[in-house]
């Protein structure tokens, strides 16, 4: 560099000016970050609001919670209040306890699971169902097959104590209409826990009972189990009327479909009933009735402390 060229002189270091510059930079960065967080928070709140729009949460519980119960007929299922909401999903919790012969051994507390629906209304992976493989679900899948013929069950019942309580699937020789079903239950003083409204050999059929839909309309008073079954069928039909075409994709995750549910509800034909409070002695009479195709035993319970043995 020649002597004639100007020399760039650096200004004297000023601590105050430097501190002010640093503070301005920090404030500017903080403002940008806070603005971004505010935008993100507003967006999240907006998405959560969209998730909760209208009766979306209540309908999710009604449709998916009830479908889960139909998907798991071998369990007593309690659906918690809906819903836990995030910007991208909604969920609710269910508690499931395996159904056993009444007054027999039960699962203390059962198991807890979560049903989740994404922002677009699609349900996620479901617990239990086809993976549960319980004796009751297996027996329900056998309705309509030649397994457990009447003559074989007679021999089994003959070997069991009279007072043993049984969880049984009583299959009819021909599908029973409501009047025929109520007459049958009155004849044997039965009070079925569930009614099987479909014959689907090799797969779990559609079932419905008093606790399947929590919000099913019910009269204030009923006088018999026969009355309850009539009301249950009306509840099944009322629930099926809530279903819309766009529900079909979710229902298929529950091994269901709109067409099957609507047909079962409209037909109202009972192919079998699930009885959890029948004694072996009573079932020996039931199996001799010509209206009965067979009785399928899913569980038995014996009170070892009962002095009668």
């Amino acid at each position: 560099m020649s002597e004639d060229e100007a020399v760039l002189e650096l200004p004297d270091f000023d601590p105050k000016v430097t501190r002010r510059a640093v503070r301005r930079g920090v404030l500017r960065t903080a403002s940008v970050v806070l603005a971004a967080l505010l935008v993100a928070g507003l967006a999240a709140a907006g998405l959560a609001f969209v998730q909760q729009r209208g009766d979306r949460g209540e309908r999710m519980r009604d449709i998916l919670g009830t479908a889960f119960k139909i998907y798991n007929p071998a369990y007593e299922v309690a659906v918690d209040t809906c819903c836990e909401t995030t910007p991208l999903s909604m969920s609710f919790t269910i508690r499931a306890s395996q159904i056993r012969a009444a007054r027999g051994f039960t699962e203390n507390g059962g198991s807890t699971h979560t049903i989740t629906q994404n922002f677009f209304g699609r349900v996620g992976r479901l617990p239990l169902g086809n993976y549960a493989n319980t004796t009751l679900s297996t027996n329900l899948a056998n309705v309509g097959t030649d397994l457990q013929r009447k003559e074989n069950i007679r021999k089994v019942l003959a070997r069991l104590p009279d007072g043993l309580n049984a969880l049984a699937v009583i299959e009819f020789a021909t599908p029973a209409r409501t009047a025929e079903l109520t007459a049958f239950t009155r004849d044997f003083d039965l009070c079925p826990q569930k009614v099987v409204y479909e014959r689907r050999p090799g797969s779990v059929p559609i079932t419905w009972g008093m606790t399947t839909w929590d919000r099913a309309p019910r009269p204030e008073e009923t006088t018999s189990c026969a009355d309850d079954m009539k009301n249950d069928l009306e509840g099944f039909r009322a629930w099926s009327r809530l279903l819309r075409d766009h529900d079909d994709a979710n229902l298929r995750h529950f091994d269901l479909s709109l067409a099957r549910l609507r047909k079962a509800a409209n037909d109202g034909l009972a192919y079998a009933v699930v009885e959890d409070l029948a004694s072996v002695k009573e079932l020996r009479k039931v199996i001799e009735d010509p209206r009965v195709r067979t009785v399928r035993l899913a569980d038995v319970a014996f009170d070892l402390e009962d002095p009668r043995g």
Side-chain angles (χ1 to χ4, degrees):
M1 181 174 62
S2 66
E3 295 180 356
D4 296 332
E5 292 180 1
V7 177
L8 180 62
E9 294 183 358
L10 294 174
D12 293 335
F13 176 73
D14 189 336
K16 293 182 179 179
V17 173
T18 302
R19 283 195 294 270
R20 284 197 296 269
V22 170
R23 281 198 296 269
R24 285 196 298 270
V26 170
L27 290 173
R28 189 178 297 113
T29 301
S31 299
V32 172
V33 170
L34 288 173
L37 290 174
L38 179 61
V39 171
L42 290 173
L47 290 173
F49 177 78
V50 171
Q51 291 276 76
Q52 298 170 332
R53 65 189 180 276
D55 63 347
R56 196 166 186 257
E58 184 176 291
R59 191 173 191 280
M60 175 187 174
R61 186 181 186 275
D62 270 349
I63 302 302
L64 301 189
T66 303
F68 185 83
K69 293 181 181 182
I70 300 173
Y71 183 51
N72 289 283
Y75 288 83
E76 187 65 34
V77 177
V79 181
D80 287 349
T81 303
C82 190
C83 297
E84 292 292 329
T85 306
T86 72
L88 298 178
S89 69
M90 296 176 68
S91 64
F92 59 86
T93 302
I94 61 96
R95 296 184 305 281
S97 299
Q98 189 174 340
I99 297 172
R100 307 298 298 268
R103 294 195 292 270
F105 301 103
T106 57
E107 293 184 357
N108 294 327
S111 55
T112 301
H113 307 276
T114 300
I115 307 299
T116 302
Q117 176 178 282
N118 67 22
F119 182 80
F120 301 102
R122 291 292 173 258
V123 68
R125 185 181 182 280
L126 297 169
L128 302 177
N130 294 329
Y131 306 99
N133 197 30
T134 66
T135 54
L136 178 54
S137 61
T138 299
N139 278 281
L140 287 169
N142 287 338
V143 169
T145 71
D146 290 330
L147 299 172
Q148 297 172 306
R149 291 175 178 270
K150 209 169 189 178
E151 55 269 25
N152 297 330
I153 298 300
R154 282 195 189 101
K155 296 175 183 178
V156 174
L157 291 172
R159 295 195 300 267
L160 297 174
D162 288 356
L164 199 67
N165 293 313
L167 172 64
V169 178
I170 302 171
E171 182 180 352
F172 299 121
T174 57
R177 297 192 178 278
T178 303
E180 298 165 329
L181 176 60
T182 55
F184 176 83
T185 57
R186 282 197 183 102
D187 289 345
F188 291 100
D189 195 24
L190 297 175
C191 196
Q193 188 173 36
K194 296 176 188 288
V195 177
V196 182
Y197 285 107
E198 183 184 43
R199 181 181 288 150
R200 195 179 176 217
S203 300
V204 177
I206 293 168
T207 63
W208 192 272
M210 184 182 297
T211 60
T212 304
W213 183 25
D214 296 342
R215 298 198 312 114
R218 304 191 68 83
E220 291 184 4
E221 294 184 6
T222 56
T223 58
S224 67
C225 287
D227 291 334
D228 286 335
M229 284 188 294
K230 291 178 184 177
N231 296 330
D232 292 343
L233 177 57
E234 290 307 311
F236 181 22
R237 287 171 170 166
W239 179 78
S240 70
R241 289 193 290 269
L242 295 179
L243 302 176
R244 300 291 178 261
D245 290 346
H246 62 78
D247 292 318
D248 195 56
N250 275 343
L251 291 171
R252 290 183 183 278
H253 285 278
F254 296 88
D255 193 28
L256 297 168
S257 72
L258 271 175
R260 284 175 49 217
L261 287 164
R262 286 170 173 168
K263 183 179 188 306
N266 290 336
D267 291 349
L269 295 175
Y271 292 84
V273 293
V274 177
E275 176 64 55
D276 71 337
L277 190 55
S279 70
V280 166
K281 184 178 181 180
E282 292 167 336
L283 290 178
R284 289 194 194 120
K285 298 175 183 177
V286 169
I287 201 168
E288 298 305 327
D289 192 290
R291 293 170 289 184
V292 175
R293 184 168 185 257
T294 192
V295 173
R296 305 177 188 277
L297 294 176
D299 186 38
V300 291
F302 189 78
D303 188 353
L304 296 176
E305 297 180 358
D306 190 336
R308 295 172 296 177

